[in-house]
Amino acid sequence: ILEALAEMYATGDRAAEGLAYASLATTAAAPRGPTSFQVSSHEAFLEKLDGELAKCDDFAHREVVKVKRELAELESGGSRPRSGSLDGDPEEVEGWRVDAVGQHFLEVEKYVNVNVTAVRKMLRKHDAVLPQRPIAAFYTARMHDMRWVQTDYSSVLVRLSRLYESKK
């Protein structure tokens, strides 16, 4: 997307600002699908970026809500397995669930960190390719407004620590 926009700006093509479409498919005959994309303007690129950031924020929020729900269940003494039946000591099952919740939380954190790193790299590339339209500072500030960044997760870590300690 960035390369096509840069080419439009470099050639003075007003399609970068207008309604004409520039195909970003790898070949002219490429089918519409995951390997092709169309952009009508820089604003369309920014809308796509906004949408991707919102998806990341929504996904992370949903997953943290799941983690908190599972922690509440574990804290209340709910040691039933999620699905099927696990044979074994209920304390062992609960210990397994605590491990699973901790791992889930770490995976959500990794997901967010990988996506934030990718967006930062993309913003740096954008500003290098299109220096006449810098956006890195603006979107870095917007990423600081994401729920993942704004929320204090120390309570989740404390709750997990207490559960780990009680399972020893």
Side-chain angles (χ1 to χ4, degrees):
I1 296 170
L2 289 176
E3 289 171 4
L5 285 172
E7 188 176 315
M8 283 186 234
Y9 277 106
T11 61
D13 186 353
R14 297 311 299 170
E17 298 294 336
L19 299 175
Y21 285 90
S23 175
L24 301 180
T26 54
T27 65
R32 298 274 303 145
T35 59
S36 65
F37 184 80
Q38 287 189 349
V39 63
S40 61
S41 65
H42 193 259
E43 287 69 29
F45 169 78
L46 296 177
E47 286 175 15
K48 178 77 171 159
L49 178 59
D50 286 337
E52 294 301 314
L53 285 173
K55 283 187 342 187
C56 179
D57 190 41
D58 291 343
F59 176 79
H61 180 71
R62 275 193 318 272
E63 294 305 306
V64 169
V65 166
K66 288 178 188 177
V67 166
K68 289 180 177 180
R69 189 178 316 127
E70 188 73 17
L71 284 172
E73 186 178 314
L74 286 165
E75 289 168 334
S76 70
S79 62
R80 62 172 175 72
R82 281 184 168 196
S83 62
S85 75
L86 292 177
D87 294 333
D89 184 14
E91 286 184 15
E92 185 179 322
V93 171
E94 196 158 327
W96 174 82
R97 288 181 64 203
V98 171
D99 288 343
V101 171
Q103 186 62 36
H104 188 186
F105 185 73
L106 290 174
E107 288 172 1
V108 173
E109 179 186 28
K110 184 177 181 178
Y111 166 83
V112 172
N113 290 338
V114 165
N115 279 280
V116 166
T117 299
V119 169
R120 284 188 176 142
K121 286 180 179 183
M122 190 270 318
L123 292 172
R124 280 195 302 268
K125 181 172 181 170
H126 173 279
D127 287 359
V129 170
L130 297 171
Q132 66 274 31
R133 306 280 304 261
I135 62 170
F138 175 76
Y139 276 96
T140 300
R142 278 195 77 182
M143 285 191 296
H144 288 280
D145 291 336
M146 290 174 62
R147 286 177 281 193
W148 177 263
V149 176
Q150 290 293 317
T151 305
D152 179 14
Y153 293 106
S154 59
S155 65
V156 172
L157 298 175
V158 168
R159 291 167 71 188
L160 271 169
S161 293
R162 285 185 185 147
L163 286 168
Y164 277 120
E165 183 64 29
S166 69
K167 301 307 167 214
K168 283 186 175 182

